[in-house]
Amino acid sequence: MAPLLNAFRKINRERDIVMVDRRGAGLSGAFRCGFEREMPADLQQFSRRLADCYLQRPDFAESLSSRQTVEDLERVRMFLGHGRIALWGGSWGTRTALLYQQWYPESLSALVLDAVAPIDTKVFLTATAAERALQQLERDCARDPVCARFGDWKGQLAKMLNGWSAEQAASFPDP
């Protein structure tokens, strides 16, 4: 999130910017399952590895909830002595921001949502839905003469993703 600080420099002249790692992520006692070294491409294999990891530390995994995240954010606000805050949430963080708005409306002066992930979105169901959508696209494309001329686009996509490096990700332009 640090690259965002430059974009927020004008805001930071008159306001504090506080970035909070979600418990179990970032530098906040991350729940590590080895995916930072090797991410399984197969959804079933990913699910099995995640389940195995969960079973090794079920008490910690079960403590990671939306309620706990919002409560942690409210604790940070109170600890810092801030009154009403302007809360920005991006992507998955919009879920936390929306829940915070529901549970602590008196603590907010403003709410900014960037790339909203609806509260009812389920992470793994979303991944499953994305995989199903790609499979459907592949079937539909095979039946469409114009799309079929693209050839083995799914194979090219898989090759690109398998060879994707951290350096490429860092230099990939924001669309």
Side-chain angles (χ1 to χ4, degrees):
M1 299 302 294
L4 287 176
L5 289 177
N6 189 43
F8 291 143
R9 71 182 178 281
K10 289 180 184 176
I11 295 169
N12 192 222
R13 289 181 189 147
E14 298 179 21
R15 298 180 180 269
D16 293 331
I17 295 177
V18 178
M19 295 186 178
V20 181
D21 274 342
R22 180 179 179 143
R23 189 184 307 189
L27 299 176
S28 300
F31 187 63
R32 302 211 187 281
C33 294
F35 296 130
E36 59 276 0
R37 292 184 303 275
E38 178 188 344
M39 177 67 77
D42 176 67
L43 188 58
Q44 306 318 27
Q45 183 185 11
F46 174 79
S47 296
R48 278 192 304 276
R49 282 187 50 195
L50 187 61
D52 290 345
C53 183
Y54 171 87
L55 291 173
Q56 291 173 19
R57 296 181 61 197
D59 55 326
F60 181 72
E62 288 176 13
S63 75
L64 304 176
S65 69
S66 295
R67 172 58 79 174
Q68 162 267 309
T69 300
V70 171
E71 297 298 331
D72 284 351
L73 186 56
E74 179 63 0
R75 278 190 206 96
V76 168
R77 183 195 66 78
M78 291 186 318
F79 177 81
L80 293 175
H82 291 293
R84 294 168 60 95
I85 61 172
L87 182 60
W88 173 82
S91 189
W92 192 255
T94 63
R95 292 169 47 96
T96 300
L98 287 166
L99 291 170
Y100 190 89
Q101 177 189 32
Q102 287 181 14
W103 297 333
Y104 293 101
E106 70 283 353
S107 296
L108 284 175
S109 63
L111 183 64
V112 179
L113 304 175
D114 186 4
V116 177
I119 292 173
D120 61 350
T121 300
K122 306 290 187 243
V123 177
F124 298 109
L125 296 180
T126 302
T128 302
E131 180 62 26
R132 276 196 307 263
L134 270 178
Q135 291 169 353
Q136 183 66 47
L137 178 62
E138 184 178 33
R139 286 190 298 272
D140 291 349
C141 190
R143 290 190 294 258
D144 181 279
V146 175
C147 187
R149 285 193 301 227
F150 284 107
D152 182 23
W153 63 267
K154 191 164 183 209
Q156 291 174 10
L157 175 63
K159 182 178 177 184
M160 181 191 76
L161 292 175
N162 287 336
W164 197 253
S165 69
E167 293 81 30
Q168 288 171 300
S171 65
F172 193 77
D174 185 341

